[in-house]
């Protein structure tokens, strides 16, 4: 398709002409699909990305500057949609992994719950008696295995503050729980 012909289609598309969109789709589909095929592995995923690319083209055509090359703009849409797809895929993978890990932890918890129920209730009650700030640090440290540095980043507070809350929380737990060995307290994430 010649540039002048493509330019006329773009003008019609900007005015909402669906037939012009179909003509543009037919003219560009193979090039776009070839590019997407190199970037996305699975056929079904490619088709989803292709749909998103052409939906994005239709909805953002009003933003297109007709003084710029159309193919360059279209390839920009391709790259952005492929990147969005990858981000979505990564998030789905992470969610799946967390669910799987949680399911594993849950079955592990069930095995130990019967043996440690009394101790766990005591620890759980002691954690509830901590201040909100101490409890937050303790929960992130023991239930989610974050490092103190990660907790500082997560809470957007200085590392020294996290350490202070962590140690104060541990002292309060030791005081409340009494004779529970330290190593047992450090495994409160086991229940």
């Amino acid at each position: 398709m010649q540039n002048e012909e493509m330019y006329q289609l773009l003008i019609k598309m900007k005015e909402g002409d669906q037939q012009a969109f179909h003509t543009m789709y037919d003219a560009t589909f193979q090039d776009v699909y070839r590019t997407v095929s190199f970037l996305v592995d699975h056929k079904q995923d490619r088709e989803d990305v292709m749909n998103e690319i052409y939906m994005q083209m239709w909805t953002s055509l009003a933003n297109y500057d007709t003084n710029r090359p159309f193919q360059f703009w279209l390839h920009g849409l391709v790259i952005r949609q492929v990147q969005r797809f990858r981000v979505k895929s990564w998030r789905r993978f992470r969610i799946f992994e967390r669910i799987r890990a949680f399911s594993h932890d849950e079955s592990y918890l069930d095995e130990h719950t019967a043996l440690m129920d009394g101790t766990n209730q005591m620890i759980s009650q002691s954690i509830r008696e901590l201040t909100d700030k101490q409890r937050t640090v303790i929960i992130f440290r023991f239930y989610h295995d974050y490092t103190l540095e990660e907790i500082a980043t997560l809470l957007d507070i200085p590392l020294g503050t996290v350490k202070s809350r962590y140690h104060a929380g541990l002292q309060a737990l030791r005081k409340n729980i009494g004779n529970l060995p330290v190593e047992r307290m450090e495994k409160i994430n086991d229940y």
Side-chain angles (χ1 to χ4, degrees):
M1 183 177 287
Q2 300 296 323
N3 284 340
E4 181 58 33
E5 194 177 353
M6 192 170 279
Y7 179 76
Q8 293 303 321
L9 282 176
L10 290 170
I11 298 296
K12 289 180 181 177
M13 286 171 55
K14 278 189 164 189
E15 295 169 352
D17 186 338
Q18 292 184 1
Q19 184 57 43
F21 176 79
H22 289 293
T23 305
M24 181 65 78
Y25 176 84
D26 291 339
T28 58
F29 175 80
Q30 285 186 332
D31 176 55
V32 171
Y33 190 78
R34 183 179 47 232
T35 304
V36 170
S37 295
F38 283 116
L39 301 173
V40 177
D41 292 333
H42 301 289
K43 185 178 180 184
Q44 179 61 42
D45 294 337
R46 283 183 216 139
E47 291 174 12
D48 291 344
V49 171
M50 290 293 291
N51 288 335
E52 291 295 322
I53 289 168
Y54 283 99
M55 286 293 295
Q56 185 67 38
M57 184 174 88
W58 180 254
T59 57
S60 63
L61 194 60
N63 301 329
Y64 171 63
D65 178 5
T66 53
N67 294 323
R68 296 179 55 203
F70 176 72
Q71 290 291 339
F72 186 77
W73 181 75
L74 181 59
H75 287 143
L77 289 178
V78 170
I79 293 301
R80 282 191 294 280
Q81 291 305 318
V82 168
Q83 288 172 337
R84 283 188 188 146
F85 167 76
R86 288 179 177 161
V87 168
K88 283 181 187 175
S89 295
W90 177 245
R91 286 183 184 152
R92 279 193 301 248
F93 173 76
R94 300 264 319 214
I95 288 170
F96 175 76
E97 286 297 312
R98 285 185 183 170
I99 289 171
R100 195 168 63 103
F102 181 74
S103 299
H104 176 73
D105 288 348
E106 200 169 57
S107 64
Y108 176 75
L109 295 178
D110 290 340
E111 294 171 10
H112 286 54
T113 300
L115 298 173
M116 304 172 68
D117 197 36
T119 304
N120 289 339
Q121 285 181 356
M122 187 169 54
I123 292 172
S124 179
Q125 182 59 37
S126 295
I127 289 173
R128 285 190 195 103
E129 293 174 6
L130 296 175
T131 67
D132 289 341
K133 293 176 180 179
Q134 291 170 346
R135 188 176 334 125
T136 301
V137 172
I138 294 292
I139 294 297
F140 280 133
R141 177 71 187 106
F142 292 118
Y143 286 111
H144 301 291
D145 284 333
Y146 286 117
T147 64
L148 296 180
E149 291 82 8
E150 289 170 330
I151 295 170
T153 303
L154 191 66
L155 299 178
D156 195 25
I157 57 177
L159 177 60
T161 303
V162 171
K163 287 180 179 177
S164 173
R165 292 177 186 173
Y166 173 71
H167 291 295
L170 282 181
Q171 279 185 329
L173 285 175
R174 286 184 184 124
K175 182 179 174 186
N176 291 341
I177 295 172
N179 60 357
L180 194 64
V182 174
E183 60 274 2
R184 177 67 188 99
M185 288 180 55
E186 301 221 345
K187 293 183 178 184
I188 61 174
N189 60 338
D190 286 347
Y191 82 106

